PDB file of all heavy atoms in Angstrom:
ATOM      1  N   VAL A  84     -89.581 -21.690 -97.241  1.00  0.00           N
ATOM      2  CA  VAL A  84     -89.325 -23.081 -97.455  1.00  0.00           C
ATOM      3  C   VAL A  84     -89.372 -23.841 -96.059  1.00  0.00           C
ATOM      4  O   VAL A  84     -89.978 -24.848 -95.925  1.00  0.00           O
ATOM      5  CB  VAL A  84     -87.906 -23.375 -98.144  1.00  0.00           C
ATOM      6  CG1 VAL A  84     -87.518 -24.913 -98.065  1.00  0.00           C
ATOM      7  CG2 VAL A  84     -87.943 -22.853 -99.588  1.00  0.00           C
ATOM      8  N   GLU A  85     -88.769 -23.202 -95.136  1.00  0.00           N
ATOM      9  CA  GLU A  85     -88.773 -23.825 -93.762  1.00  0.00           C
ATOM     10  C   GLU A  85     -90.167 -23.864 -93.186  1.00  0.00           C
ATOM     11  O   GLU A  85     -90.553 -24.798 -92.464  1.00  0.00           O
ATOM     12  CB  GLU A  85     -87.855 -23.065 -92.804  1.00  0.00           C
ATOM     13  CG  GLU A  85     -87.871 -23.468 -91.363  1.00  0.00           C
ATOM     14  CD  GLU A  85     -87.339 -24.960 -91.160  1.00  0.00           C
ATOM     15  OE1 GLU A  85     -86.738 -25.453 -92.126  1.00  0.00           O
ATOM     16  OE2 GLU A  85     -87.597 -25.566 -90.051  1.00  0.00           O
ATOM     17  N   ALA A  86     -90.996 -22.807 -93.336  1.00  0.00           N
ATOM     18  CA  ALA A  86     -92.315 -22.678 -92.845  1.00  0.00           C
ATOM     19  C   ALA A  86     -93.130 -23.857 -93.523  1.00  0.00           C
ATOM     20  O   ALA A  86     -93.918 -24.477 -92.860  1.00  0.00           O
ATOM     21  CB  ALA A  86     -92.982 -21.358 -93.137  1.00  0.00           C
ATOM     22  N   ALA A  87     -93.006 -24.075 -94.740  1.00  0.00           N
ATOM     23  CA  ALA A  87     -93.702 -25.172 -95.439  1.00  0.00           C
ATOM     24  C   ALA A  87     -93.266 -26.507 -94.986  1.00  0.00           C
ATOM     25  O   ALA A  87     -94.091 -27.394 -94.704  1.00  0.00           O
ATOM     26  CB  ALA A  87     -93.477 -25.024 -97.008  1.00  0.00           C
ATOM     27  N   ARG A  88     -92.027 -26.666 -94.725  1.00  0.00           N
ATOM     28  CA  ARG A  88     -91.485 -27.943 -94.120  1.00  0.00           C
ATOM     29  C   ARG A  88     -92.105 -28.132 -92.694  1.00  0.00           C
ATOM     30  O   ARG A  88     -92.519 -29.320 -92.331  1.00  0.00           O
ATOM     31  CB  ARG A  88     -89.978 -27.885 -93.970  1.00  0.00           C
ATOM     32  CG  ARG A  88     -89.379 -29.273 -93.636  1.00  0.00           C
ATOM     33  CD  ARG A  88     -87.901 -29.055 -93.202  1.00  0.00           C
ATOM     34  NE  ARG A  88     -87.695 -28.304 -91.937  1.00  0.00           N
ATOM     35  CZ  ARG A  88     -88.104 -28.792 -90.672  1.00  0.00           C
ATOM     36  NH1 ARG A  88     -88.536 -29.978 -90.561  1.00  0.00           N
ATOM     37  NH2 ARG A  88     -87.903 -27.990 -89.626  1.00  0.00           N
ATOM     38  N   GLN A  89     -92.202 -27.099 -91.914  1.00  0.00           N
ATOM     39  CA  GLN A  89     -92.722 -27.220 -90.655  1.00  0.00           C
ATOM     40  C   GLN A  89     -94.177 -27.588 -90.640  1.00  0.00           C
ATOM     41  O   GLN A  89     -94.686 -28.375 -89.837  1.00  0.00           O
ATOM     42  CB  GLN A  89     -92.666 -25.855 -89.801  1.00  0.00           C
ATOM     43  CG  GLN A  89     -91.310 -25.500 -89.372  1.00  0.00           C
ATOM     44  CD  GLN A  89     -91.226 -24.127 -88.685  1.00  0.00           C
ATOM     45  OE1 GLN A  89     -92.131 -23.457 -88.694  1.00  0.00           O
ATOM     46  NE2 GLN A  89     -90.067 -23.867 -88.119  1.00  0.00           N
ATOM     47  N   ARG A  90     -94.960 -26.991 -91.627  1.00  0.00           N
ATOM     48  CA  ARG A  90     -96.392 -27.292 -91.717  1.00  0.00           C
ATOM     49  C   ARG A  90     -96.587 -28.813 -92.139  1.00  0.00           C
ATOM     50  O   ARG A  90     -97.466 -29.527 -91.655  1.00  0.00           O
ATOM     51  CB  ARG A  90     -97.050 -26.379 -92.709  1.00  0.00           C
ATOM     52  CG  ARG A  90     -97.351 -25.037 -92.166  1.00  0.00           C
ATOM     53  CD  ARG A  90     -98.146 -24.178 -93.120  1.00  0.00           C
ATOM     54  NE  ARG A  90     -97.684 -23.966 -94.434  1.00  0.00           N
ATOM     55  CZ  ARG A  90     -96.769 -23.016 -94.801  1.00  0.00           C
ATOM     56  NH1 ARG A  90     -96.383 -22.189 -93.919  1.00  0.00           N
ATOM     57  NH2 ARG A  90     -96.456 -22.832 -96.024  1.00  0.00           N
ATOM     58  N   GLU A  91     -95.693 -29.287 -93.016  1.00  0.00           N
ATOM     59  CA  GLU A  91     -95.830 -30.700 -93.424  1.00  0.00           C
ATOM     60  C   GLU A  91     -95.483 -31.570 -92.238  1.00  0.00           C
ATOM     61  O   GLU A  91     -96.238 -32.597 -92.077  1.00  0.00           O
ATOM     62  CB  GLU A  91     -94.816 -31.026 -94.530  1.00  0.00           C
ATOM     63  CG  GLU A  91     -95.204 -30.385 -95.859  1.00  0.00           C
ATOM     64  CD  GLU A  91     -94.206 -30.519 -96.905  1.00  0.00           C
ATOM     65  OE1 GLU A  91     -93.135 -31.234 -96.740  1.00  0.00           O
ATOM     66  OE2 GLU A  91     -94.399 -29.956 -98.061  1.00  0.00           O
ATOM     67  N   ALA A  92     -94.453 -31.222 -91.421  1.00  0.00           N
ATOM     68  CA  ALA A  92     -94.136 -32.068 -90.255  1.00  0.00           C
ATOM     69  C   ALA A  92     -95.231 -32.005 -89.307  1.00  0.00           C
ATOM     70  O   ALA A  92     -95.557 -33.111 -88.762  1.00  0.00           O
ATOM     71  CB  ALA A  92     -92.852 -31.588 -89.664  1.00  0.00           C
ATOM     72  N   LEU A  93     -95.921 -30.894 -88.999  1.00  0.00           N
ATOM     73  CA  LEU A  93     -96.971 -30.823 -88.126  1.00  0.00           C
ATOM     74  C   LEU A  93     -98.198 -31.574 -88.576  1.00  0.00           C
ATOM     75  O   LEU A  93     -98.881 -32.222 -87.913  1.00  0.00           O
ATOM     76  CB  LEU A  93     -97.290 -29.293 -87.881  1.00  0.00           C
ATOM     77  CG  LEU A  93     -98.397 -29.027 -86.833  1.00  0.00           C
ATOM     78  CD1 LEU A  93     -97.966 -29.681 -85.426  1.00  0.00           C
ATOM     79  CD2 LEU A  93     -98.612 -27.548 -86.660  1.00  0.00           C
ATOM     80  N   ALA A  94     -98.496 -31.479 -89.882  1.00  0.00           N
ATOM     81  CA  ALA A  94     -99.591 -32.254 -90.498  1.00  0.00           C
ATOM     82  C   ALA A  94     -99.344 -33.773 -90.237  1.00  0.00           C
ATOM     83  O   ALA A  94    -100.275 -34.439 -89.973  1.00  0.00           O
ATOM     84  CB  ALA A  94     -99.715 -31.937 -91.923  1.00  0.00           C
ATOM     85  N   ALA A  95     -98.154 -34.252 -90.540  1.00  0.00           N
ATOM     86  CA  ALA A  95     -97.800 -35.640 -90.264  1.00  0.00           C
ATOM     87  C   ALA A  95     -98.017 -36.033 -88.864  1.00  0.00           C
ATOM     88  O   ALA A  95     -98.497 -37.143 -88.509  1.00  0.00           O
ATOM     89  CB  ALA A  95     -96.391 -35.863 -90.737  1.00  0.00           C
ATOM     90  N   LEU A  96     -97.654 -35.230 -87.928  1.00  0.00           N
ATOM     91  CA  LEU A  96     -97.861 -35.516 -86.468  1.00  0.00           C
ATOM     92  C   LEU A  96     -99.418 -35.590 -86.235  1.00  0.00           C
ATOM     93  O   LEU A  96     -99.811 -36.440 -85.515  1.00  0.00           O
ATOM     94  CB  LEU A  96     -97.249 -34.419 -85.658  1.00  0.00           C
ATOM     95  CG  LEU A  96     -97.274 -34.563 -84.072  1.00  0.00           C
ATOM     96  CD1 LEU A  96     -96.510 -35.827 -83.681  1.00  0.00           C
ATOM     97  CD2 LEU A  96     -96.684 -33.331 -83.487  1.00  0.00           C
ATOM     98  N   LEU A  97    -100.111 -34.654 -86.746  1.00  0.00           N
ATOM     99  CA  LEU A  97    -101.576 -34.639 -86.515  1.00  0.00           C
ATOM    100  C   LEU A  97    -102.257 -35.842 -87.217  1.00  0.00           C
ATOM    101  O   LEU A  97    -103.194 -36.472 -86.639  1.00  0.00           O
ATOM    102  CB  LEU A  97    -102.230 -33.328 -86.894  1.00  0.00           C
ATOM    103  CG  LEU A  97    -101.753 -32.108 -86.171  1.00  0.00           C
ATOM    104  CD1 LEU A  97    -102.247 -30.816 -86.860  1.00  0.00           C
ATOM    105  CD2 LEU A  97    -102.021 -32.228 -84.759  1.00  0.00           C
ATOM    106  N   ASP A  98    -101.744 -36.210 -88.330  1.00  0.00           N
ATOM    107  CA  ASP A  98    -102.220 -37.470 -89.003  1.00  0.00           C
ATOM    108  C   ASP A  98    -102.029 -38.666 -88.134  1.00  0.00           C
ATOM    109  O   ASP A  98    -102.863 -39.515 -88.132  1.00  0.00           O
ATOM    110  CB  ASP A  98    -101.375 -37.744 -90.305  1.00  0.00           C
ATOM    111  CG  ASP A  98    -101.984 -36.785 -91.524  1.00  0.00           C
ATOM    112  OD1 ASP A  98    -102.905 -36.034 -91.270  1.00  0.00           O
ATOM    113  OD2 ASP A  98    -101.253 -36.754 -92.555  1.00  0.00           O
ATOM    114  N   MET A  99    -100.947 -38.698 -87.439  1.00  0.00           N
ATOM    115  CA  MET A  99    -100.753 -39.800 -86.562  1.00  0.00           C
ATOM    116  C   MET A  99    -101.738 -39.875 -85.499  1.00  0.00           C
ATOM    117  O   MET A  99    -102.348 -40.903 -85.205  1.00  0.00           O
ATOM    118  CB  MET A  99     -99.291 -39.735 -85.805  1.00  0.00           C
ATOM    119  CG  MET A  99     -98.958 -40.829 -85.004  1.00  0.00           C
ATOM    120  SD  MET A  99     -97.239 -40.720 -84.340  1.00  0.00           S
ATOM    121  CE  MET A  99     -97.219 -39.119 -83.655  1.00  0.00           C
ATOM    122  N   ALA A 100    -102.181 -38.812 -84.991  1.00  0.00           N
ATOM    123  CA  ALA A 100    -103.216 -38.743 -83.970  1.00  0.00           C
ATOM    124  C   ALA A 100    -104.540 -39.146 -84.515  1.00  0.00           C
ATOM    125  O   ALA A 100    -105.406 -39.641 -83.861  1.00  0.00           O
ATOM    126  CB  ALA A 100    -103.307 -37.402 -83.277  1.00  0.00           C
ATOM    127  N   ASP A 101    -104.786 -38.876 -85.845  1.00  0.00           N
ATOM    128  CA  ASP A 101    -106.079 -39.184 -86.482  1.00  0.00           C
ATOM    129  C   ASP A 101    -106.083 -40.663 -86.956  1.00  0.00           C
ATOM    130  O   ASP A 101    -107.093 -41.087 -87.590  1.00  0.00           O
ATOM    131  CB  ASP A 101    -106.278 -38.308 -87.678  1.00  0.00           C
ATOM    132  CG  ASP A 101    -106.678 -36.905 -87.330  1.00  0.00           C
ATOM    133  OD1 ASP A 101    -107.068 -36.591 -86.177  1.00  0.00           O
ATOM    134  OD2 ASP A 101    -106.507 -36.045 -88.180  1.00  0.00           O
ATOM    135  N   GLY A 102    -105.021 -41.383 -86.771  1.00  0.00           N
ATOM    136  CA  GLY A 102    -104.901 -42.809 -87.137  1.00  0.00           C
ATOM    137  C   GLY A 102    -104.526 -43.065 -88.516  1.00  0.00           C
ATOM    138  O   GLY A 102    -104.676 -44.100 -89.098  1.00  0.00           O
ATOM    139  N   ARG A 103    -104.029 -42.056 -89.211  1.00  0.00           N
ATOM    140  CA  ARG A 103    -103.636 -42.150 -90.676  1.00  0.00           C
ATOM    141  C   ARG A 103    -102.193 -42.696 -90.777  1.00  0.00           C
ATOM    142  O   ARG A 103    -101.730 -43.061 -91.778  1.00  0.00           O
ATOM    143  CB  ARG A 103    -103.732 -40.876 -91.414  1.00  0.00           C
ATOM    144  CG  ARG A 103    -105.174 -40.470 -91.684  1.00  0.00           C
ATOM    145  CD  ARG A 103    -105.326 -39.214 -92.455  1.00  0.00           C
ATOM    146  NE  ARG A 103    -106.132 -38.344 -91.482  1.00  0.00           N
ATOM    147  CZ  ARG A 103    -106.224 -37.085 -91.591  1.00  0.00           C
ATOM    148  NH1 ARG A 103    -105.617 -36.515 -92.599  1.00  0.00           N
ATOM    149  NH2 ARG A 103    -106.990 -36.460 -90.897  1.00  0.00           N
TER     150      ARG A 103
END
Side-chain angles (χ1 to χ4, degrees):
V84 170
E85 177 63 13
R88 188 195 66 73
Q89 288 178 353
R90 286 190 301 275
E91 288 174 9
L93 186 56
L96 182 63
L97 296 174
D98 284 351
M99 182 175 54
D101 287 341
R103 288 180 238 168

